[in-house]
Amino acid sequence: MPVTSVRFFPSLHNQTPEKNHILLATYASGHVRIWHYTSGKCLLSKNEMRRRNDTSSLAFNISGDKFVTVGADPEIFVYDSETKKRINVLEATNCMDKMDGHRFRVFSVQFHPNDPNVFISGGWDNTVQFWDVRSRHAFRKLYGPHICGDSLDIDPVHYHILTGSWRTDTPLQIWDFGTGEKIKDVPQDRLFGSMLYCAQWVGKETLACGGSMQNMARLIDRGTLNTVGQLANLPNGVYAMDNDRQDPRPVIAAAASNKVYLLKQVPK
């Protein structure tokens, strides 16, 4: 079954040798697998036993001692990184009048850059939910984003949330983490507007997004909100994106169909 997301184990100063060269992958079959990527060995394969199988994404916290997974059902699973055992299941209450968790499929999850217990998630129910791994229900939410891929990110300096929605109207938006208030809508490119599957901050000056309709990957200046780089009319939509986080001009990888395209800004 297809891989739905991959995450490297966080690089820590006091990291033991056995934690080096480790990545986790989630699968459409509902499995989570731990790989030693230099040797190609699968160290652990775990079936999450979700009601609808598919596991969509995962995220590590900043300390690396916990990770969470999301998928085709609304529940969020919390794991201990050392034991690999599930330690909590987070979900909405049964009361339909209270939106303290997701009601539909969850596609994306992202931990706070400096708080090892707090993370956000988004999916088909048009909400971004705010969670603490120690509590069963979400403690806050914001309405609006329709998340259909890996399109949530948090700026580690200003704690601004970036959301990418699979829709034509205002697909790319910036929010304040502390208040949940919207800061701004990022305008669509005038020639190559797209419905978004992925979005993330790239260094201090740029944000990136990718999606379908125009099958494009786009780099945007954070100050002017103008397009500074773009690939358009690719064979298929851009469903995954990441950057190497090497300032000042990170390399961005964008995946479309069976190809990965690399983008890099050149000095002005």
Side-chain angles (χ1 to χ4, degrees):
M1 295 293 282
V3 175
T4 53
S5 70
V6 291
R7 293 290 185 273
F8 289 100
F9 192 90
S11 237
L12 307 173
H13 293 301
N14 59 348
Q15 191 162 289
T16 56
E18 59 267 21
K19 297 283 181 64
N20 292 328
H21 311 299
I22 299 295
L23 66 78
L24 269 69
T26 60
Y27 295 77
S29 61
H31 285 80
V32 176
R33 294 191 174 110
I34 301 174
W35 294 91
H36 185 262
Y37 57 84
T38 52
S39 67
K41 292 181 179 178
C42 181
L43 305 180
L44 179 71
S45 181
K46 188 180 188 72
N47 189 336
E48 289 207 292
M49 304 300 291
R50 289 184 177 272
R51 287 177 290 142
R52 298 186 181 93
N53 289 329
D54 189 357
T55 300
S56 303
S57 188
L58 69 99
F60 280 102
N61 66 357
I62 188 173
S63 59
D65 65 335
K66 294 181 182 66
F67 66 91
V68 298
T69 66
V70 297
D73 44 35
E75 291 83 10
I76 297 174
F77 296 158
V78 184
Y79 292 90
D80 181 284
S81 295
E82 191 66 33
T83 66
K84 315 301 187 296
K85 292 183 177 179
R86 190 182 301 168
I87 57 176
N88 208 351
V89 177
L90 312 186
E91 58 187 346
T93 57
N94 292 328
C95 177
M96 296 302 290
D97 295 332
K98 197 172 185 180
M99 193 70 172
D100 56 357
H102 291 291
R103 299 294 180 184
F104 300 105
R105 179 176 183 140
V106 188
F107 274 97
S108 189
V109 60
Q110 186 73 36
F111 265 97
H112 190 280
N114 288 307
D115 190 324
N117 295 310
V118 174
F119 68 93
I120 57 175
S121 61
W124 275 353
D125 56 17
N126 298 331
T127 70
V128 172
Q129 299 285 340
F130 293 68
W131 306 85
D132 188 304
V133 294
R134 299 163 294 189
S135 302
R136 186 179 178 188
H137 309 303
F139 63 84
R140 196 168 75 228
K141 63 185 174 297
L142 63 85
Y143 284 104
H146 185 68
I147 305 295
C148 292
D150 197 8
S151 56
L152 279 179
D153 202 7
I154 305 173
D155 167 21
V157 178
H158 305 287
Y159 304 145
H160 290 168
I161 299 171
L162 182 67
T163 62
S165 296
W166 197 74
R167 63 188 182 210
T168 56
D169 182 39
T170 62
L172 195 60
Q173 298 172 301
I174 300 171
W175 311 76
D176 181 75
F177 185 96
T179 64
E181 296 295 321
K182 185 172 68 174
I183 297 173
K184 63 181 68 174
D185 297 322
V186 179
Q188 285 265 44
D189 186 87
R190 286 177 294 176
L191 296 177
F192 300 106
S194 223
M195 300 162 72
L196 300 180
Y197 285 113
C198 46
Q200 65 176 216
W201 298 108
V202 181
K204 299 176 182 178
E205 301 176 355
T206 311
L207 52 109
C209 62
S212 63
M213 193 167 72
Q214 296 292 345
N215 296 344
M216 67 85 202
R218 178 188 178 201
L219 303 183
I220 303 161
D221 182 275
R222 183 170 183 163
T224 64
L225 302 184
N226 291 330
T227 300
V228 294
Q230 191 169 57
L231 289 175
N233 297 320
L234 297 172
N236 292 94
V238 175
Y239 292 97
M241 178 177 282
D242 200 8
N243 75 90
D244 65 4
R245 294 166 180 81
Q246 299 298 311
D247 283 333
R249 290 182 172 82
V251 174
I252 298 100
S257 185
N258 61 346
K259 294 182 173 62
V260 176
Y261 300 86
L262 299 179
L263 300 85
K264 187 175 178 66
Q265 288 181 261
V266 296
K268 296 179 181 178

